[in-house]
Every structure is written in C-alpha cells, then in structure tokens.
Amino acid sequence: MGKNENQMQKNQTVITEITDIGVNGEGIGKVDGYTLFIKDAVIGDQVEAKVTKARKNYGYARLMKILSPSPDRVNARCAFARQCGGCQIQEMSYEKQLEFKARKVRGNLERIGGFPPELLDRVMEPAVGMDQPFGYRNKAQFPFGTDKEGRPVTGFYAGRTHSIIANTDCALGVPVNREILEIILTYMEENHVPSYDEKTGTGVIRHALIRFGFTTKEIMVCLVINSRKLPYEERLVEKLRAIEGMTSISVSPNMEQTNVIMGSTFRVLWGKEYITDYIGSVKYQISPLSFYQVNPVQTEKLYSLALEYADLQGGESVWDLYCGIGTISLFLAQKAGQVYGVEIVPQAIIDARKNAQINGIENAEFFVGKAEEVLPDYYDRYKKEHGGERARADVIVVDPPRKGCDEALLETVVKMAPERVVYVSCDSATLARDMKYLCGNGYEVRKVRAVDMFPMTVHVETVVLLSHKSPDSVINVKVEFGEGDDKISLDAIAERAKKYQPKPKITYKMIQEYVEQKYGFKVHTAYIAEVKRSLGLTVYDAPNETEELKQPQKRPTKEKEEAITEALKYFEVI
C-alpha cells in the first residue's frame, strides 16, 4: 500500500479549525481528514500550526498563531500557563472546562465500558464545579534549581521537562506560598546554600513542600534536602516562624538520585509534626508524608456525594478500600454501623487510626495491606471460620489509584454482594473498565457524576453508584429429584454441571507463548488487548493497558491479528 496521500510532513504549516479536544487537553483539528493534536488550542479557534510529529493517520503540531479566537477562549490568569505543565486548559472558559470533563467521562463510559448513550442520558448528573476555580490548592511542592547567573530559583517544571520556570506566585495555590518561597530564596542567597543539581547529585535544597489548612489557617513548610542537616537552619526558622499561622517547620532528607520528591522520614525544626484541618465536621492531622486531598472545597463535595450514594441508615457494615488516611472512612463512620478501611501505606493507616481517635470515632477499623489481597483473604477466612457462610457487606466504597481495581478485588466484591458499590475514581478510563466488569456480574449503574477537583487541568474525579440488580418478579417452582417420570435425575444434573465448570483463567502470557511457539514471532500485550476489544471481549489485565486506552489505538499487523485470534480460539476465549 502506498503512502497516505493526506499524511502531513514534519515542519509543514497548516491552517485548521479546532473542533474537539483530546484527553490531555490538546485541541484537535483536521486537515483533509488528517487529525492533528495542537497544544494550547481551544475548540472554536481558527489556528495556524506547525507539524512537529507526523504519524500515518495523526500527528502533533505547535500552535503558531490564533487567526480567529474561539468565543470560549479566555485570557490566562498566569503568565506562564502555556509553558508550565501544571495548567493545560487555563485559556478555556471554566464553563467549557466542565463540559469537556463531563464529556471525557461519558466518552470513556461509552467507548471502554460499552454503556449505551440512552442509559448515560438517564444516570449522568451535571458536573460539580467550583465558584472560585483559582487558589484552591492546600498543598504545593516547589522544585529548586539554579539560573544562568548562578542564583537559586523555584517554580514549576515546564511541561514534560525538568527545566524550572521561575514563578513564586502560582494561580492555583494560596497567596502565602509566595511569601514563604521568597524567604527561602533570600535565605539561600544570604547563606550560600545551593539548590540541588539532579545531574551531578550535588547541592542541598531539592523541594519545598507547603501545606495550608483552609479551615484552621495553619501552615506547614517542609524542605526536602540532599543532606542530613540544613546549614544555618535556625536563620531560616526565625524568618518563617514569624508568618501568621506558621505551625510546623521541618526537613525531609532525600539523598537518593530519584524522581521521588519526599524522603522516607522528616525531622521537625520548629513547631508540631503536623497541621490540622477539617473536611466537613471531621478533623484530620496532616504530616509532611500524609496523603490528603489538595482541594478541600471540592473534597467535601466529593465525599458528601459518596456518603449520599452510600445511603447509610445507621446499622450498615461498610468496607472502604484504598482508604488513605481515612478521609472517606471517617465521613462514612458518622452514619454507618461499622466501617473497615484498607490501605497499603503503613503510615497512612497510622494516620487513619489517629484521626479516628481525635474525632472520637470508635466504629472504624483499619488494616494495612493491598486491597486486592486483604479483602479476598478476609472473604476466604470468614468462609472457613463460619462453616461455609459467605462474608457480606452492605456497602463497599472503592477509591483506587489511576490503574483502577485489581480483578481479584472485583471478584470478591461480587461474591460479597453488597447492596451498593460506590466507586470514586481519578481515571475515567479504568473506571469504565471496572464498571463494565461489575455490570456484567450482577450490578447496574444508578448514578454517575464528575467532580472537578482540579480546575484549569484535564484531570477529573468521578463518583458512581452501582446497585445490586433486583429481579423483576419471583416465581416458586417445586422440583422433585430422583428417577422416574416428572423427576430430575441427580446423575443428569451432575453431568450437566461438568459442562458448566468455570474455565481456567487465560492470561496474556499464555497467549503470547502460544503465538510465539506456533508462529515464531512475539506479540505485545497491547495488541492482544486491541484484538480482544475489537471482538467485544472484556479487556482487563494487560500490562500498561490504562495508558494504551488514553492514546490513539495501535493496530497489530494482519498476520499478528490472525495469530492472536487463533490463540483466543485455541484457549476457547471465543
């Protein structure tokens, strides 16, 4: 086959209208049917763009000139919005941002989850936005570096780089951040304390972590340093402690050559080990190493939705999986009979137990471990200890990381058959995949709502309510077992049961090994996932599948597609 006649060439300049927006916030335009992703373009813009990367059916281009601005284009509040990797869509009106995020969630539910549009019309509720979509972050981590003149600088990394854009006044952070950062920079210059250089591994100050309690107004500063001790630390403490609300000043040594920001420990220089803040009426202690939602205004709305969807009446048994420091667990415990929280990070569970104690909450119990291991182990142990009786929960809440829930966890959720499952998601692609599994195993979608936790960015949280399906009607049937007329043979039942024994799980590795042995070439898991998707099969545990879902789909060659299809037939998947 010859070259695609419409394919663009690198450095080619084109004029196009932006008609859609990609999952990462890029404007999407078409030139003679060829798709271009153009950063910083907004739907409705007429733009001139220069192609930077050209694939067969799509490419990427740099915005050169806005020929005719979209009615939804606004001036960015931050002068560095285009350079910085933090705000991808600050030049889009906030109303359109909410539309984009709701459409992003819906698109994934349709494309990946296979949910019909008419169902989504019925269950999707309007996205929950903010009245003031700036200055909402209670936490910021600022990297430090050195400019061309040898002076220390701090700010944020430019998109997809480790080059620091000097800026102490981020529009998404609280105003006091600027005062704190200026004090730190002055201290560094006056005392000749160098910034960390990640290329050489030398220097001292790597990052500054700043937390602010929106309700309590308490402030925390933690410097991440490439040493055990901070030079002249008392001079810095003297300046910082004078800021109204300053509560905790600490350092976290991190002498590893790594992209991980925080060290594993911290040492208090002045004040307390933590600050306190509230979500609703629940009080939380937050240390430098604690995970805590960065947008407290929207977090209260998010958790209130989760509590509403859980529909607790006072006596229910609730499991909160991926519970962190117990933020959702303690919200639920106010109305539940008993809450069990599971989290893999030991420090988070220590914080969760402490938060339960300071709030006087006695009906919340927390376990350290992987949710996909703790819940199945609990289910199996309960069954053994109770003569085969099945462990139950009235409500299960899951709030997993971006990769979503492990299949073993979802299998156990289905076995425990809670009346309601509340899914809080930070990635609607894996949410759609997991919802498809649950809805194929006895659940139905009742409500879906996007919550804008991160205005000016492409990220969106989603809360979903799934309920156990109820039968439309019930009939009573009398059955007699045995031999003879009008009776059902037990031998026949046993023979029939053999045909319906569950098949062993077919893994991607088994398919890869079969193809390599029979055809002599290797196939990537992403290709297996794509073939399964094209056949209407559930795509579940392919390594890196989450990332594949977000990118333009890669198709295997016809030869590899046929080989994968043959393997699926061999293993009786199709």
Side-chain angles (χ1 to χ4, degrees), residues 500-557:
Y500 290 93
Q501 285 183 339
K503 297 177 182 178
K505 181 177 178 181
I506 307 304
T507 66
Y508 283 82
K509 186 176 181 181
M510 291 165 64
I511 294 171
Q512 288 175 312
E513 289 173 347
Y514 176 87
V515 169
E516 186 172 8
Q517 185 176 355
K518 182 169 182 177
Y519 295 94
F521 53 76
K522 296 181 179 181
V523 290
H524 194 279
T525 53
Y527 288 160
I528 299 173
E530 182 60 22
V531 172
K532 289 181 70 178
R533 187 184 295 109
S534 69
L535 294 170
L537 301 173
T538 300
V539 177
Y540 209 85
D541 54 358
N544 302 321
E545 176 59 15
T546 301
E547 293 306 314
E548 292 293 333
L549 292 170
K550 298 178 185 176
Q551 302 298 331
Q553 294 299 314
K554 300 176 183 177
R555 294 289 307 180
T557 62

Side-chain angles (χ1 to χ4, degrees), residues 193-319:
V193 179
S195 301
Y196 176 71
D197 184 334
E198 63 182 9
K199 293 180 181 177
T200 64
T202 60
V204 178
I205 296 185
R206 300 175 67 132
H207 281 81
L209 163 69
I210 304 174
R211 292 187 187 268
F212 179 78
F214 269 54
T215 301
T216 62
K217 310 304 180 190
E218 294 179 0
I219 301 169
M220 168 185 289
V221 177
C222 180
L223 286 180
V224 183
I225 57 175
N226 184 41
S227 61
R228 291 291 174 195
K229 184 173 171 57
L230 182 66
Y232 309 107
E233 60 188 35
E234 69 283 350
R235 298 179 185 178
L236 178 60
V237 168
E238 182 183 358
K239 296 292 185 183
L240 290 176
R241 65 183 289 188
I243 297 173
E244 184 179 356
M246 188 59 65
T247 304
S248 174
I249 304 172
S250 62
V251 292
S252 177
N254 182 359
M255 291 172 281
E256 302 293 326
Q257 286 195 304
T258 174
N259 287 333
V260 176
I261 293 176
M262 300 297 294
S264 58
T265 62
F266 66 95
R267 176 172 61 89
V268 175
L269 303 182
W270 178 86
K272 300 178 181 179
E273 293 185 349
Y274 57 84
I275 62 171
T276 57
D277 205 15
Y278 289 81
I279 299 176
S281 61
V282 182
K283 184 179 183 180
Y284 298 91
Q285 288 185 356
I286 309 148
S287 77
L289 301 180
S290 294
F291 171 79
Y292 188 70
Q293 289 281 10
V294 301
N295 186 336
V297 174
Q298 292 298 90
T299 297
E300 184 168 352
K301 295 177 185 177
L302 180 76
Y303 291 176
S304 295
L305 265 179
L307 187 59
E308 175 192 325
Y309 286 5
D311 191 24
L312 302 174
Q313 304 301 312
E316 293 89 350
S317 172
V318 181
W319 282 80

